[in-house]
Amino acid sequence: MDHPDLALVSLQQVLEALVDPVRRMVVAQLVRKGEDMSCGTFEAPVALSTLTHHFNVLREAGVIRQYYVGTMKMNTLRTGEMEERFPGLLPAVIAACVTESGAGAA
Amino acid sequence: MDHPDLALVSLQQVLEALVDPVRRMVVAQLVRKGEDMSCGTFEAPVALSTLTHHFNVLREAGVIRQYYVGTMKMNTLRTGEMEERFPGLLPAVIAACVTESGAGAA
């Protein structure tokens, strides 16, 4: 699996990744869980094949890193690298997600 | 002109507003100028009629406030209100815009 150098990722690409509510759900669940999660363990209102597409978009935008443990594909946020490339962006989006999900929205 | 109560604006709406590069150019120019700007004074690679649409999207998402001075439509960022609603989001996007435009991209 390809993981981009974050120096080569544009703000446009990251915003396009984060503008999708299902992709923000994925990010928010990784934050809430506080540990790497396998693809099958996310809660999302879409089929697993659709979710796979969303994981790909997040990976290509440098938001998550994916790796295999046996046959299980694991997902982790590239928090530190994202912070270096786009300071404050991911924390602000995550904070807003948490606020909204607390208020009942996704 | 209608200006939404920011309490009623969703993260989805703000991200959809900011995902467009021309709309981010508008925001960045307001920041760089440091004062309210009339619609006709923005630099953008689109027709004024298209730009008008972009101003509407930004206004409906609560990012800018518009008002008339005579026949001139002025634009101002709702920085403080946005910060209260989505802490850190607008500054992070603006910082990334500035970094990228410094590097030659938009």
Side-chain angles (χ1 to χ4, degrees), chain B residues 70-88:
Chain B
T71 57
M72 228 171 22
K73 197 189 270 186
M74 302 296 296
N75 300 275
T76 185
L77 284 174
R78 297 176 68 177
T79 314
E81 292 165 283
M82 279 292 292
E83 188 59 24
E84 198 172 323
R85 178 74 177 93
F86 300 111

Side-chain angles (χ1 to χ4, degrees), chain B residues 5-51:
Chain B
D5 180 343
L6 279 193
L8 303 176
V9 170
S10 66
L11 176 62
Q12 185 63 37
Q13 210 176 340
V14 173
L15 289 177
E16 282 173 8
L18 296 176
V19 79
D20 184 281
V22 174
R23 293 197 283 269
R24 286 202 306 281
M25 284 182 71
V26 166
V27 170
Q29 285 177 49
L30 280 167
V31 170
R32 200 169 54 217
K33 187 83 168 185
E35 58 189 40
D36 299 357
M37 293 171 67
S38 70
C39 289
T41 61
F42 287 83
E43 289 173 38
V46 295
L48 191 55
S49 58
T50 306
L51 204 51

Side-chain angles (χ1 to χ4, degrees), chain A residues 10-12 15 19 24 100, chain B residues 10-12 19 24 100:
Chain A
S10 66
L11 176 62
Q12 185 62 38
L15 289 178
V19 77
R24 287 201 306 281
E100 290 205 335
Chain B
S10 66
L11 176 62
Q12 185 63 37
V19 79
R24 286 202 306 281
E100 290 205 336

Side-chain angles (χ1 to χ4, degrees), chain A residues 37-101:
Chain A
M37 292 171 68
S38 70
C39 289
T41 60
F42 287 82
E43 288 173 39
V46 295
L48 191 54
S49 58
T50 306
L51 204 52
T52 300
H53 161 74
H54 289 309
F55 287 124
N56 289 344
V57 174
L58 286 169
R59 179 170 46 74
E60 287 158 12
V63 178
I64 64 169
R65 185 175 294 280
Q66 297 189 294
Y67 60 94
Y68 279 100
V69 174
T71 58
M72 228 170 24
K73 198 189 270 185
M74 302 296 296
N75 300 274
T76 185
L77 284 174
R78 296 176 69 177
T79 315
E81 292 164 282
M82 280 291 293
E83 188 60 24
E84 197 172 323
R85 178 75 178 92
F86 301 111
L89 182 60
L90 207 51
V93 170
I94 290 166
C97 288
V98 170
T99 307
E100 290 205 335
S101 67

